[in-house]
Amino acid sequence: MGKSHLAVAIGREAIVAGYSVLFTPATTLVATLAKAHEDGRLEERLAQLAKPKLLIVDELGYLPFEPDAAHLFFQLVSRRYERGAMLLTSNRAVGEWGSVFGDPIVATAILDRLLHHSHVVTIRGDSYRLREKRRSGLLQKAAAAPTPSPA
């Protein structure tokens, strides 16, 4: 559907406008935070991640977070709250983030901060990759579920 492509384009425009930007996949970000925590350098890493004016986190929710990772991500969101913009791409609706983070309370706390000054853009439809496969005839569109007839 172009979520990552759109995020990169926005990040590029921010750079052109003179803003600092960091783009990272969510899995890489979480692994980086977990490693910093393990090494006793979490504060240092959070400070680094708080510096860019725009932090783009790509593919949030493709894989569920471990409970500790959700808490680390919360610390990052809290650190950046009202100090720097975050752009997140996800294939999950906000209502599903409790399962993404493995803890509805942590998810609510994260969403509370993220949604406070946010703009949510919902994109629906096939991914570009699948659309191309359908055009070439390699994939067929999934058939709609039959509508039940009145009894």
Side-chain angles (χ1 to χ4, degrees):
M1 295 193 297
K3 296 181 297 290
S4 299
H5 183 79
L6 182 59
V8 167
I10 291 170
R12 184 184 180 292
E13 288 301 310
I15 291 167
V16 168
Y19 296 101
S20 56
V21 177
L22 175 63
F23 178 97
T24 182
T27 53
T28 302
L29 175 65
V30 168
T32 300
L33 290 172
K35 178 76 169 121
H37 181 64
E38 181 181 304
D39 294 346
R41 301 180 72 138
L42 181 61
E43 281 302 314
E44 180 183 326
R45 189 65 182 134
L46 288 171
Q48 290 172 341
L49 291 167
K51 285 181 183 177
K53 285 292 189 180
L54 173 60
L55 175 63
I56 301 172
V57 181
D58 193 36
E59 299 181 344
L60 185 71
Y62 283 89
L63 297 173
F65 280 39
E66 296 292 326
D68 289 343
H71 289 95
L72 293 171
F73 188 75
F74 169 77
Q75 289 183 56
L76 173 62
V77 170
S78 292
R79 179 72 61 101
R80 291 190 59 86
Y81 178 62
E82 293 192 331
R83 293 188 189 110
M86 291 184 73
L87 188 159
L88 308 172
T89 68
S90 180
N91 65 341
R92 302 292 186 112
V94 171
E96 298 177 58
W97 282 23
S99 64
V100 168
F101 291 109
D103 182 338
I105 294 170
V106 172
T108 299
I110 290 168
L111 286 168
D112 180 58
R113 285 155 182 81
L114 288 176
L115 296 176
H116 183 217
H117 298 295
S118 72
H119 297 280
V120 177
V121 177
T122 303
I123 303 171
R124 298 190 198 295
D126 290 337
S127 75
Y128 284 111
R129 292 176 284 278
L130 288 180
R131 195 176 307 148
E132 286 301 313
K133 295 295 181 193
R134 283 198 180 89
R135 283 185 189 142
S136 68
L138 291 174
L139 284 176
Q140 298 297 318
K141 196 161 195 157
T147 307
S149 57

